[in-house]
């Protein structure tokens, strides 16, 4: 059965026309789904019984079941959802002073193979559909009875490797008649799939782009991230400059600091040189060591020195607060768990 949440408003209107219904009915349904967050077609009381029946026969509402919910000491919550085909995905809810931020997964598993990430070493299963991504947000809003204000595509998966579904999910989340999260409050994080960075720049969506850079020489970056063998740093930075020129948006560079690997003064100098003149921000992440991982967390002292060097040399850098580490919900700790 088709998932009704896979359609953006224009596509849903088209579906309704094909069902012999008026397009404005699609808007009513859109509102029920994304503003009222209903869990059944029966609750859509301004539709005729006939239409409700027709919708039930043709579409599912894709309502996730919570398999597990863990709450960290800092209030961060990690959800394990049953995506209704026997697979499970993780989503993390974080509370900041400016509101709730949701870290969503875009794929079941990941193909990128970054050496420091817990998603590596687990088989890639499939892409999530747009509706499945959007339901991560709706399921959390229902469960906690809250309104989420920011979404980051930093859970499991490489969003730009599931390009069409991720872009469509953003269009759905962004729609003013629905969830209505401003595109500027949505971030896509990528390990650096260069062709799709160019594509995204032409999409005319004002979302924030985060680049997982993590190193400033190809030798080091390739050791951490195999994707660098396909698209090296020079090509990546060129694509970022194009993105900034076309969108006028500031790029955020993620840099996970690993002890004696990429956290010394030489690396900081390299980073300043690489990013000089770009409208950007550097997010320093103390690396989270994964089981049997070869990378260890940098010392606090090194992290602060690294940050200060960047700030002193014209690159705005902050250290990301670690949330949810006691429930394995911090960066790079998410992994697909087997059911049962
Ligand atoms: N595939 C996308 C998004 C998922 S990862 C990407 O690569 O950007 C979200 C962020 O967490 C990325 O910057 C990623 O490099 C980082 N990350 C992954 N594992 C980590 C770990 N063990 N410690 C710190 N950051 C990690």
């Amino acid at each position: 059965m088709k998932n009704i949440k896979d359609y953006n408003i224009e596509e849903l209107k088209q579906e309704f026309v094909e069902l012999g219904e008026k397009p404005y009915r699609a808007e009513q349904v859109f509102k029920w789904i994304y503003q009222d967050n209903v869990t059944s077609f029966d609750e859509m009381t301004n539709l005729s019984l006939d239409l409700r029946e027709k919708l039930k026969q043709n579409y599912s509402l894709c309502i996730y079941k919570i398999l597990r919910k863990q709450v960290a000491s800092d209030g961060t919550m990690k959800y394990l959802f049953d995506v209704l085909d026997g697979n499970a995905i993780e989503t993390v809810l974080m509370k900041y002073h400016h509101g709730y931020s949701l870290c969503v997964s875009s794929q079941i598993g990941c193909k990128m193979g970054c050496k420091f990430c817990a998603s590596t070493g687990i088989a890639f299963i499939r892409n999530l559909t747009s509706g499945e991504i959007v339901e991560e947000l709706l399921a959390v809003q229902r469960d906690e009875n809250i309104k989420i204000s920011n979404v980051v595509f930093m859970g499991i998966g490489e969003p730009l490797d599931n390009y069409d579904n991720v872009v469509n999910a953003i269009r759905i989340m962004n729609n003013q008649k629905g969830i209505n999260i401003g595109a500027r409050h949505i971030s896509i994080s990528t390990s650096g799939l260069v062709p799709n960075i160019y594509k995204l720049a032409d999409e005319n969506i004002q979302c924030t782009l985060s680049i997982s850079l993590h190193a400033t020489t190809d030798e080091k970056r390739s050791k951490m991230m195999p994707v660098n063998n396909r698209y090296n740093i020079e090509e990546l930075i060129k694509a970022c400059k194009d993105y900034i020129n076309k969108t006028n948006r500031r790029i955020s560079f993620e840099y996970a600091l690993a002890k004696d690997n990429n956290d010394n003064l030489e690396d900081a100098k390299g980073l300043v040189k690489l990013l000089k003149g770009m409208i950007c921000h550097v997010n320093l992440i103390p690396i989270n060591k994964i089981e049997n991982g070869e990378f260890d967390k940098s010392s606090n002292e090194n992290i602060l020195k690294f940050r200060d060097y960047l700030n002193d040399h014209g690159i705005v850098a902050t250290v990301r607060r670690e949330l949810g580490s006691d429930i394995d919900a911090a960066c790079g700790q998410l992994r697909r768990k087997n059911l049962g």
Side-chain angles (χ1 to χ4, degrees):
M1 205 183 283
K2 299 191 261 188
N3 175 358
I4 200 159
K5 290 174 182 163
D6 281 338
Y7 303 94
N8 64 42
I9 187 70
E10 296 312 322
E11 294 166 337
L12 196 62
K13 282 183 187 168
Q14 191 54 40
E15 284 284 305
F16 272 54
V17 169
E18 280 162 30
L19 283 175
E21 297 291 333
K22 295 265 189 309
Y24 81 91
R25 292 282 177 207
E27 289 198 358
Q28 290 177 320
V29 169
F30 206 77
K31 184 172 172 299
W32 282 116
I33 296 175
Y34 299 108
Q35 289 191 1
D36 304 306
N37 205 346
V38 298
T39 56
S40 72
F41 289 110
D42 289 326
E43 290 164 75
M44 303 183 180
T45 47
N46 57 358
L47 308 182
S48 68
L49 287 174
D50 268 3
L51 177 53
R52 286 184 234 168
E53 205 46 49
K54 210 186 300 186
L55 293 177
K56 267 190 241 174
Q57 274 163 19
N58 286 284
Y59 304 97
S60 88
L61 273 166
C62 176
I63 302 297
Y64 284 167
K65 213 165 69 203
I66 299 171
L67 294 172
R68 196 174 58 222
K69 177 181 172 182
Q70 289 168 277
V71 184
S73 50
D74 59 30
T76 298
M77 293 174 196
K78 183 168 78 168
Y79 288 86
L80 183 72
F81 291 121
D82 176 355
V83 290
L84 312 174
D85 69 348
N87 288 301
I89 53 161
E90 285 178 309
T91 306
V92 176
L93 177 69
M94 293 157 287
K95 190 168 174 14
Y96 291 99
H97 58 274
H98 56 265
Y100 289 99
S101 188
L102 194 71
C103 177
V104 295
S105 293
S106 54
Q107 298 179 312
I108 304 178
C110 186
K111 296 183 215 158
M112 306 318 293
C114 300
K115 294 285 192 304
F116 46 85
C117 180
S119 300
T120 294
I122 307 160
F124 171 81
I125 295 181
R126 65 171 176 86
N127 285 331
L128 291 176
T129 69
S130 340
E132 287 174 325
I133 295 169
V134 170
E135 171 61 10
E136 292 179 56
L137 181 146
L138 293 175
V140 172
Q141 290 201 156
R142 279 197 303 274
D143 181 59
E144 280 289 313
N145 199 17
I146 52 166
K147 172 95 179 78
I148 286 159
S149 47
N150 287 275
V151 174
V152 296
F153 282 84
M154 292 192 183
I156 295 171
E158 166 52 50
L160 293 190
D161 186 37
N162 183 15
Y163 187 89
D164 291 340
N165 293 343
V166 165
V167 167
N168 205 37
I170 292 175
R171 292 198 196 288
I172 296 169
M173 292 176 186
N174 197 207
N175 192 294
Q176 289 183 351
K177 291 181 177 153
I179 297 172
N180 193 19
I181 297 184
R184 284 161 188 266
H185 297 274
I186 300 175
S187 297
I188 294 187
S189 179
T190 180
S191 56
L193 292 182
V194 165
N196 284 348
I197 295 175
Y198 284 106
K199 211 166 150 188
L200 190 66
D202 291 327
E203 219 49 81
N204 202 17
I205 306 178
Q206 290 287 305
C207 64
T208 300
L209 183 63
S210 291
I211 303 287
S212 298
L213 186 61
H214 303 321
T216 57
T217 66
D218 283 324
E219 197 194 344
K220 266 188 201 177
R221 192 165 189 268
S222 296
K223 278 190 188 145
M224 299 174 82
M225 308 175 71
V227 66
N228 196 66
N229 293 311
R230 263 202 281 164
Y231 308 109
N232 65 23
I233 295 179
E234 193 186 338
E235 292 169 273
L236 178 59
I237 295 295
K238 205 166 146 228
C240 291
K241 287 183 175 160
D242 174 80
Y243 188 88
I244 296 171
N245 280 340
K246 282 196 185 132
T247 62
N248 242 327
R249 301 277 294 139
R250 183 174 76 159
I251 287 191
S252 176
F253 288 96
E254 315 285 309
Y255 195 100
L257 289 154
K259 190 173 167 192
D260 299 332
N261 171 58
N262 61 351
D263 67 340
N264 62 35
L265 194 61
E266 282 311 302
D267 296 293
K269 282 184 185 163
L271 198 53
V272 168
K273 221 168 130 195
L274 197 62
L275 304 183
K276 203 125 225 144
M278 290 172 84
I279 326 173
C280 67
H281 171 262
V282 172
N283 233 321
L284 298 169
I285 317 171
I287 213 162
N288 282 302
K289 189 178 170 68
I290 55 165
E291 224 174 275
N292 302 321
E294 57 185 293
F295 299 107
D296 291 312
K297 190 175 287 191
S298 296
S299 66
N300 280 345
E301 195 192 333
N302 265 14
I303 294 173
L304 296 181
K305 262 197 213 155
F306 201 97
R307 181 198 64 187
D308 292 345
Y309 185 88
L310 296 180
N311 284 326
D312 289 346
H313 291 81
I315 306 280
V316 182
T318 46
V319 179
R320 179 179 293 168
R321 225 165 25 112
E322 280 182 279
L323 291 176
S325 50
D326 55 339
I327 54 165
D328 288 347
C331 284
Q333 292 187 322
L334 298 189
R335 54 185 298 162
R336 184 184 56 83
K337 295 268 172 21
N338 289 326
L339 288 179

